Short mmCIF file of all heavy atoms in Angstrom, two decimals:
data_model
loop_
_atom_site.label_atom_id
_atom_site.label_comp_id
_atom_site.label_asym_id
_atom_site.label_seq_id
_atom_site.Cartn_x
_atom_site.Cartn_y
_atom_site.Cartn_z
N VAL M 13 -20.54 8.06 6.75
CA VAL M 13 -21.62 7.13 6.46
C VAL M 13 -22.62 7.09 7.62
O VAL M 13 -22.25 7.36 8.77
CB VAL M 13 -21.09 5.70 6.20
CG1 VAL M 13 -20.15 5.67 5.01
CG2 VAL M 13 -20.43 5.14 7.44
N PRO M 14 -23.86 6.70 7.34
CA PRO M 14 -24.81 6.51 8.43
C PRO M 14 -24.55 5.20 9.14
O PRO M 14 -24.03 4.23 8.57
CB PRO M 14 -26.16 6.50 7.72
CG PRO M 14 -25.86 6.06 6.34
CD PRO M 14 -24.48 6.52 6.02
N GLU M 15 -24.93 5.16 10.38
CA GLU M 15 -24.80 3.97 11.20
C GLU M 15 -25.45 2.77 10.52
O GLU M 15 -26.50 2.88 9.88
CB GLU M 15 -25.49 4.25 12.54
CG GLU M 15 -25.41 3.16 13.56
CD GLU M 15 -26.03 3.57 14.88
OE1 GLU M 15 -26.67 4.65 14.93
OE2 GLU M 15 -25.87 2.84 15.86
N GLY M 16 -24.80 1.61 10.64
CA GLY M 16 -25.36 0.38 10.12
C GLY M 16 -24.81 -0.05 8.78
O GLY M 16 -24.98 -1.21 8.38
N GLU M 17 -24.13 0.87 8.08
CA GLU M 17 -23.60 0.50 6.76
C GLU M 17 -22.39 -0.41 6.90
O GLU M 17 -21.64 -0.34 7.86
CB GLU M 17 -23.19 1.75 5.99
CG GLU M 17 -24.35 2.45 5.36
CD GLU M 17 -23.96 3.23 4.12
OE1 GLU M 17 -22.78 3.19 3.72
OE2 GLU M 17 -24.84 3.90 3.58
N ASN M 18 -22.21 -1.25 5.87
CA ASN M 18 -21.00 -2.06 5.76
C ASN M 18 -19.99 -1.27 4.92
O ASN M 18 -20.36 -0.68 3.90
CB ASN M 18 -21.31 -3.39 5.07
CG ASN M 18 -22.31 -4.20 5.85
OD1 ASN M 18 -22.31 -4.21 7.09
ND2 ASN M 18 -23.21 -4.88 5.14
N LEU M 19 -18.74 -1.26 5.37
CA LEU M 19 -17.73 -0.39 4.77
C LEU M 19 -16.54 -1.18 4.26
O LEU M 19 -16.19 -2.22 4.83
CB LEU M 19 -17.20 0.61 5.80
CG LEU M 19 -18.23 1.41 6.58
CD1 LEU M 19 -17.52 2.16 7.70
CD2 LEU M 19 -18.95 2.37 5.68
N VAL M 20 -15.90 -0.63 3.22
CA VAL M 20 -14.64 -1.19 2.73
C VAL M 20 -13.61 -0.08 2.64
O VAL M 20 -13.83 0.92 1.96
CB VAL M 20 -14.83 -1.85 1.35
CG1 VAL M 20 -13.48 -2.33 0.82
CG2 VAL M 20 -15.81 -3.00 1.43
N LEU M 21 -12.51 -0.27 3.35
CA LEU M 21 -11.40 0.68 3.28
C LEU M 21 -10.27 0.00 2.51
O LEU M 21 -10.00 -1.18 2.73
CB LEU M 21 -10.92 1.05 4.68
CG LEU M 21 -11.99 1.53 5.67
CD1 LEU M 21 -11.35 1.93 6.99
CD2 LEU M 21 -12.79 2.67 5.09
N ARG M 37 -6.07 1.53 14.23
CA ARG M 37 -7.06 2.58 14.44
C ARG M 37 -6.38 3.70 15.24
O ARG M 37 -5.62 3.42 16.19
CB ARG M 37 -8.23 2.02 15.24
CG ARG M 37 -9.20 3.06 15.74
CD ARG M 37 -10.27 2.48 16.62
NE ARG M 37 -11.02 3.56 17.22
CZ ARG M 37 -12.35 3.59 17.30
NH1 ARG M 37 -13.06 2.56 16.84
NH2 ARG M 37 -12.96 4.62 17.85
N LEU M 47 -5.42 -3.42 15.09
CA LEU M 47 -6.70 -4.08 14.85
C LEU M 47 -6.49 -5.51 14.34
O LEU M 47 -7.07 -6.45 14.88
CB LEU M 47 -7.53 -3.29 13.84
CG LEU M 47 -7.91 -1.87 14.23
CD1 LEU M 47 -8.58 -1.16 13.06
CD2 LEU M 47 -8.83 -1.89 15.44
N LEU M 48 -5.71 -5.63 13.28
CA LEU M 48 -5.50 -6.92 12.66
C LEU M 48 -4.11 -6.98 12.05
O LEU M 48 -3.61 -5.97 11.52
CB LEU M 48 -6.55 -7.16 11.54
CG LEU M 48 -7.98 -7.42 11.99
CD1 LEU M 48 -8.95 -7.24 10.83
CD2 LEU M 48 -8.12 -8.82 12.58
N GLN M 57 -7.88 -12.09 7.79
CA GLN M 57 -7.98 -12.23 9.24
C GLN M 57 -9.27 -11.56 9.68
O GLN M 57 -9.70 -10.55 9.08
CB GLN M 57 -6.80 -11.52 9.94
CG GLN M 57 -5.51 -12.29 9.95
CD GLN M 57 -5.51 -13.44 10.95
OE1 GLN M 57 -6.34 -13.51 11.84
NE2 GLN M 57 -4.58 -14.36 10.76
N THR M 58 -9.86 -12.10 10.73
CA THR M 58 -11.13 -11.56 11.22
C THR M 58 -11.04 -11.32 12.71
O THR M 58 -10.44 -12.11 13.44
CB THR M 58 -12.27 -12.55 10.92
OG1 THR M 58 -12.38 -12.72 9.51
CG2 THR M 58 -13.60 -12.03 11.46
N SER M 59 -11.67 -10.22 13.13
CA SER M 59 -11.82 -9.94 14.56
C SER M 59 -13.14 -9.22 14.75
O SER M 59 -13.28 -8.05 14.37
CB SER M 59 -10.66 -9.09 15.06
OG SER M 59 -10.84 -8.73 16.41
N GLY M 60 -14.10 -9.93 15.30
CA GLY M 60 -15.42 -9.32 15.53
C GLY M 60 -16.05 -8.86 14.22
O GLY M 60 -16.20 -9.64 13.27
N ARG M 61 -16.37 -7.56 14.16
CA ARG M 61 -16.99 -7.02 12.94
C ARG M 61 -15.97 -6.61 11.88
O ARG M 61 -16.34 -6.07 10.82
CB ARG M 61 -17.83 -5.79 13.32
CG ARG M 61 -19.05 -6.10 14.18
CD ARG M 61 -19.88 -4.86 14.47
NE ARG M 61 -19.17 -3.89 15.31
CZ ARG M 61 -18.70 -2.74 14.86
NH1 ARG M 61 -18.88 -2.37 13.60
NH2 ARG M 61 -18.06 -1.91 15.69
N LEU M 62 -14.70 -6.85 12.14
CA LEU M 62 -13.65 -6.46 11.22
C LEU M 62 -13.12 -7.67 10.47
O LEU M 62 -12.91 -8.74 11.06
CB LEU M 62 -12.49 -5.79 11.96
CG LEU M 62 -12.82 -4.60 12.84
CD1 LEU M 62 -11.55 -4.08 13.51
CD2 LEU M 62 -13.47 -3.49 12.03
N ASN M 63 -12.88 -7.46 9.18
CA ASN M 63 -12.25 -8.50 8.37
C ASN M 63 -11.26 -7.82 7.46
O ASN M 63 -11.60 -6.87 6.76
CB ASN M 63 -13.30 -9.26 7.56
CG ASN M 63 -12.68 -10.25 6.59
OD1 ASN M 63 -12.26 -9.90 5.52
ND2 ASN M 63 -12.62 -11.51 7.01
N ALA M 64 -10.01 -8.30 7.47
CA ALA M 64 -9.00 -7.73 6.59
C ALA M 64 -8.54 -8.81 5.62
O ALA M 64 -8.34 -9.96 6.01
CB ALA M 64 -7.82 -7.20 7.39
N THR M 74 -7.73 -4.92 2.00
CA THR M 74 -8.97 -4.21 2.32
C THR M 74 -9.36 -4.51 3.76
O THR M 74 -9.13 -5.61 4.26
CB THR M 74 -10.13 -4.61 1.40
OG1 THR M 74 -10.32 -6.02 1.50
CG2 THR M 74 -9.84 -4.26 -0.04
N LEU M 75 -9.92 -3.50 4.39
CA LEU M 75 -10.50 -3.66 5.73
C LEU M 75 -12.00 -3.50 5.58
O LEU M 75 -12.48 -2.44 5.14
CB LEU M 75 -9.95 -2.62 6.69
CG LEU M 75 -10.51 -2.71 8.13
CD1 LEU M 75 -10.06 -3.99 8.81
CD2 LEU M 75 -10.09 -1.49 8.96
N TYR M 76 -12.71 -4.54 5.94
CA TYR M 76 -14.16 -4.56 5.86
C TYR M 76 -14.72 -4.37 7.27
O TYR M 76 -14.33 -5.11 8.19
CB TYR M 76 -14.61 -5.88 5.25
CG TYR M 76 -16.09 -6.09 5.17
CD1 TYR M 76 -16.82 -5.55 4.11
CD2 TYR M 76 -16.76 -6.86 6.11
CE1 TYR M 76 -18.18 -5.74 4.02
CE2 TYR M 76 -18.12 -7.07 6.03
CZ TYR M 76 -18.83 -6.52 4.97
OH TYR M 76 -20.19 -6.72 4.88
N ILE M 77 -15.59 -3.37 7.43
CA ILE M 77 -16.24 -3.13 8.72
C ILE M 77 -17.72 -3.41 8.54
O ILE M 77 -18.40 -2.72 7.74
CB ILE M 77 -16.02 -1.69 9.22
CG1 ILE M 77 -14.53 -1.37 9.32
CG2 ILE M 77 -16.70 -1.49 10.59
CD1 ILE M 77 -14.22 0.07 9.70
N ALA M 78 -18.23 -4.37 9.26
CA ALA M 78 -19.63 -4.72 9.16
C ALA M 78 -20.46 -3.92 10.15
O ALA M 78 -20.03 -3.64 11.27
CB ALA M 78 -19.82 -6.21 9.42
N ALA M 79 -21.65 -3.55 9.72
CA ALA M 79 -22.64 -2.89 10.59
C ALA M 79 -21.99 -1.76 11.40
O ALA M 79 -21.94 -1.81 12.64
CB ALA M 79 -23.28 -3.92 11.52
N SER M 80 -21.52 -0.76 10.71
CA SER M 80 -20.74 0.31 11.35
C SER M 80 -21.55 1.01 12.46
O SER M 80 -22.78 1.11 12.41
CB SER M 80 -20.29 1.32 10.32
OG SER M 80 -21.41 1.86 9.63
N GLN M 81 -20.79 1.50 13.45
CA GLN M 81 -21.38 2.17 14.62
C GLN M 81 -20.68 3.51 14.82
O GLN M 81 -19.53 3.67 14.41
CB GLN M 81 -21.18 1.32 15.87
CG GLN M 81 -21.78 -0.07 15.78
CD GLN M 81 -21.34 -0.96 16.94
OE1 GLN M 81 -20.54 -0.56 17.79
NE2 GLN M 81 -21.86 -2.18 16.96
N PRO M 82 -21.33 4.47 15.48
CA PRO M 82 -20.65 5.76 15.73
C PRO M 82 -19.32 5.61 16.44
O PRO M 82 -18.39 6.38 16.19
CB PRO M 82 -21.68 6.51 16.59
CG PRO M 82 -23.00 5.97 16.14
CD PRO M 82 -22.76 4.52 15.86
N GLY M 83 -19.20 4.60 17.29
CA GLY M 83 -17.92 4.35 17.98
C GLY M 83 -16.80 3.90 17.06
O GLY M 83 -15.64 3.88 17.48
N ASP M 84 -17.12 3.57 15.82
CA ASP M 84 -16.09 3.21 14.85
C ASP M 84 -15.42 4.44 14.25
O ASP M 84 -14.44 4.33 13.52
CB ASP M 84 -16.69 2.37 13.71
CG ASP M 84 -17.20 1.02 14.18
OD1 ASP M 84 -16.65 0.48 15.15
OD2 ASP M 84 -18.17 0.51 13.55
N SER M 85 -15.95 5.61 14.54
CA SER M 85 -15.40 6.85 13.99
C SER M 85 -13.96 7.05 14.47
O SER M 85 -13.71 7.09 15.67
CB SER M 85 -16.25 8.05 14.39
OG SER M 85 -17.56 7.92 13.89
N TYR M 88 -8.26 5.18 10.18
CA TYR M 88 -7.76 3.81 10.02
C TYR M 88 -6.51 3.84 9.15
O TYR M 88 -6.52 4.39 8.05
CB TYR M 88 -8.85 2.92 9.42
CG TYR M 88 -9.98 2.71 10.40
CD1 TYR M 88 -10.97 3.67 10.56
CD2 TYR M 88 -10.02 1.57 11.19
CE1 TYR M 88 -11.98 3.50 11.50
CE2 TYR M 88 -11.03 1.38 12.12
CZ TYR M 88 -12.01 2.36 12.27
OH TYR M 88 -13.01 2.19 13.20
N LEU M 108 -12.71 8.07 9.07
CA LEU M 108 -14.08 7.56 9.01
C LEU M 108 -14.95 8.27 10.03
O LEU M 108 -14.59 8.40 11.20
CB LEU M 108 -14.09 6.06 9.29
CG LEU M 108 -15.46 5.40 9.45
CD1 LEU M 108 -16.24 5.47 8.14
CD2 LEU M 108 -15.33 3.95 9.92
N VAL M 110 -18.93 7.88 11.34
CA VAL M 110 -20.20 7.16 11.29
C VAL M 110 -21.19 7.97 12.11
O VAL M 110 -21.00 8.16 13.31
CB VAL M 110 -20.06 5.74 11.87
CG1 VAL M 110 -21.40 5.01 11.78
CG2 VAL M 110 -18.96 4.96 11.15
#
Side-chain angles (χ1 to χ4, degrees):
Chain M
V13 299
E15 183 175 10
E17 281 207 3
N18 299 324
L19 309 171
V20 176
L21 308 183
R37 170 185 171 135
L47 298 173
L48 289 164
Q57 280 285 344
T58 298
S59 175
R61 293 183 294 108
L62 305 180
N63 174 278
T74 58
L75 180 67
Y76 177 82
I77 303 176
S80 58
Q81 302 170 357
D84 295 331
S85 299
Y88 291 81
L108 172 65
V110 181

